[in-house]
Amino acid sequence: MLAKTTRINYLFDFYQSLLTPKQRSYMDMYFREDYSLGEISELLQVSRQAVYDNIRRTEKMLEAYETKLGLYDKFQKRTTILDRMDEAAQDSEMKALIHQLKELE
């Protein structure tokens, strides 16, 4: 469950600008602020089922964006390569450059 939540959070980071304000709000409250479905439904004055449906539909949209664009997959691959380069680097200047690249992520 934690792996799924982490993945959805990353996908949300990458693709949130493609979502509607309502979708962003639901996802932010549920995944980042850790509100329950009931709490979100009370705050937004909608049914718990409406909140659940919106979140599940948005998760599917995020996965579809990832399938088409692959930003998260590329991010993971870059991070892995940078970590391996950092471990292999002997030169302190090279380590500093790798650190700068990591900070850009």
Side-chain angles (χ1 to χ4, degrees):
M1 183 66 178
L2 182 61
K4 178 188 176 194
T5 300
T6 301
R7 178 177 173 79
I8 293 297
N9 276 318
Y10 271 111
L11 295 179
F12 183 62
D13 285 343
F14 283 109
Y15 302 114
Q16 67 179 309
S17 63
L18 301 174
L19 302 176
T20 66
K22 180 179 170 183
Q23 289 169 323
R24 281 193 299 267
S25 175
Y26 280 53
M27 296 298 283
D28 189 54
M29 284 190 278
Y30 188 71
F31 284 102
R32 291 201 174 143
E33 296 178 27
D34 202 29
Y35 281 57
S36 70
L37 297 176
E39 290 170 327
I40 297 169
S41 70
E42 283 181 31
L43 284 171
L44 301 177
Q45 297 181 342
V46 296
S47 71
R48 186 182 180 284
Q49 186 65 43
V51 173
Y52 176 82
D53 290 343
N54 188 294
I55 289 171
R56 294 300 164 243
R57 192 169 40 254
T58 304
E59 285 178 358
K60 288 179 183 177
M61 288 177 69
L62 292 172
E63 290 292 352
Y65 292 143
E66 176 59 16
T67 298
K68 292 176 184 172
L69 301 172
L71 298 178
Y72 178 55
D73 183 51
K74 291 174 188 172
F75 167 76
Q76 285 184 305
K77 288 176 182 174
R78 274 194 311 274
T79 301
T80 300
I81 291 168
L82 285 171
D83 288 344
R84 289 176 57 203
M85 288 173 65
D86 193 25
E87 290 171 8
Q90 301 295 321
D91 185 297
S92 63
E93 184 178 350
M94 178 62 80
K95 285 189 176 277
L97 292 170
I98 292 168
H99 182 71
Q100 288 175 4
L101 282 173
K102 285 182 178 181
E103 287 179 351
L104 293 176
E105 296 293 322

